[in-house]
Amino acid sequence: MQIFDRIDSLIDAEDFGAAIEETRALLLQLEQRSDALTHAIDNFLLDLMTLAFIVECYERGFELLARTLARRRLAKVRLLSGGVDSAFGK
């Protein structure tokens, strides 16, 4: 499974603590090509942590919106990384 496909599936995870840790580990496998990519990764992780907070505090009320935002940030990371999973040679 490609890195981005796995991360996308983690956005829907129930256990956000484990999902965030696995996401960080997967993102470390990407080749850091630019400051823009590093910034995009940081923004994505922040949104994923915000999603966890929203679900914990507000239950499911804003979950869909937060998941959508996280997916959009992930799309930006994918574009800036060249859209390939460099760790897997794809």
Side-chain angles (χ1 to χ4, degrees):
M1 180 178 284
Q2 293 185 1
I3 291 172
F4 293 110
D5 291 339
R6 177 65 184 142
I7 293 172
D8 189 74
S9 69
L10 290 170
I11 292 173
D12 292 323
E14 293 296 321
D15 181 1
F16 285 106
I20 290 168
E21 291 308 311
E22 185 176 346
T23 298
R24 282 184 179 155
L26 290 168
L27 289 171
L28 285 174
Q29 296 177 27
L30 295 176
E31 181 181 328
Q32 300 296 312
R33 297 180 183 179
S34 67
D35 289 340
L37 176 58
T38 301
H39 185 67
I41 289 171
D42 290 344
N43 282 338
F44 169 70
L45 286 171
L46 181 60
D47 287 342
L48 195 60
M49 288 183 263
T50 301
L51 171 61
F53 174 78
I54 287 171
V55 170
E56 182 179 320
C57 292
Y58 300 105
E59 309 259 331
R60 302 291 180 191
F62 298 101
E63 178 183 3
L64 180 61
L65 295 172
R67 287 184 197 277
T68 300
L69 178 59
R71 283 199 167 82
R72 287 184 179 170
R73 297 281 191 175
L74 179 59
K76 183 176 181 179
V77 171
R78 186 185 299 235
L79 287 172
L80 289 171
S81 70
V84 296
D85 294 324
S86 59
F88 294 105
K90 293 185 178 179

